[in-house]
Amino acid sequence: MTITKILVPVDGSTHSLKAFRTALDIAKNNGAKINVLTCLEKEDVGAWYIDKRTNKKIMNDAKKFAKNFLSKLEKPAKDVNVPISLNILETQSTSNQIITFSNLKKIDLIVIGSHGRGGFNKFLLGGVSNKVSQMAKCPVMIVK
């Protein structure tokens, strides 16, 4: 199997950053490119009586924060000569967005962290990593 495109979903957790470091090693050894993806879930953060511009401001602030956070991943990638692209997308469903992105970009491998949040069924794997591992068309490496 040739690995040229790796997708790493990053949510700022230590598990997602560990997945990024793992993907860096794989990319370096295979001459692959890394696509980092952060999904900002769109939710109505205010009640019906709150000005909807508040939601837009919150989302814009979240994008700025995410961009600043993700930009810190560029240096480690540059240090090992791995091309990287940073992607921030608004979505209704993080797991569905990861699957859609991986299909559109023809990703060869998804490296995703798991933090085990959620109910008993999601105890061993996080809900997002569990769904991605079940629905992805490409191999998925789950980093704990």
Side-chain angles (χ1 to χ4, degrees), residues 92-105:
Q92 295 292 333
S93 168
T94 297
S95 51
N96 289 343
Q97 185 64 59
I98 292 168
I99 298 301
T100 300
F101 186 91
S102 69
N103 292 338
L104 288 173
K105 297 290 184 176

Side-chain angles (χ1 to χ4, degrees), residues 73-92:
L73 302 179
E74 291 176 312
K75 184 181 179 336
K78 187 176 182 179
D79 289 347
V80 294
N81 250 356
V82 172
I84 184 174
S85 71
L86 306 176
N87 305 275
I88 302 168
L89 300 176
E90 292 182 37
T91 185
Q92 295 292 333

Side-chain angles (χ1 to χ4, degrees), residues 104-123:
L104 288 173
K105 297 290 184 176
K106 298 183 170 125
I107 297 296
D108 301 310
L109 174 67
I110 299 172
V111 181
I112 189 169
S114 174
H115 40 72
R117 293 185 195 150
F120 182 75
N121 290 338
K122 298 175 186 174
F123 183 70

Side-chain angles (χ1 to χ4, degrees), residues 14-57:
T14 56
H15 290 82
S16 70
L17 295 176
K18 187 174 179 183
F20 175 75
R21 289 189 300 273
T22 300
L24 267 182
D25 289 339
I26 296 168
K28 180 182 171 187
N29 293 332
N30 290 278
K33 176 184 178 180
I34 293 179
N35 289 277
V36 174
L37 175 62
T38 290
C39 295
L40 303 176
E41 289 199 24
K42 291 192 273 187
E43 292 187 29
D44 188 11
V45 294
W48 63 270
Y49 52 83
I50 294 177
D51 189 338
K52 297 302 178 196
R53 291 175 290 184
T54 301
N55 290 347
K56 285 188 178 195
K57 181 179 179 348

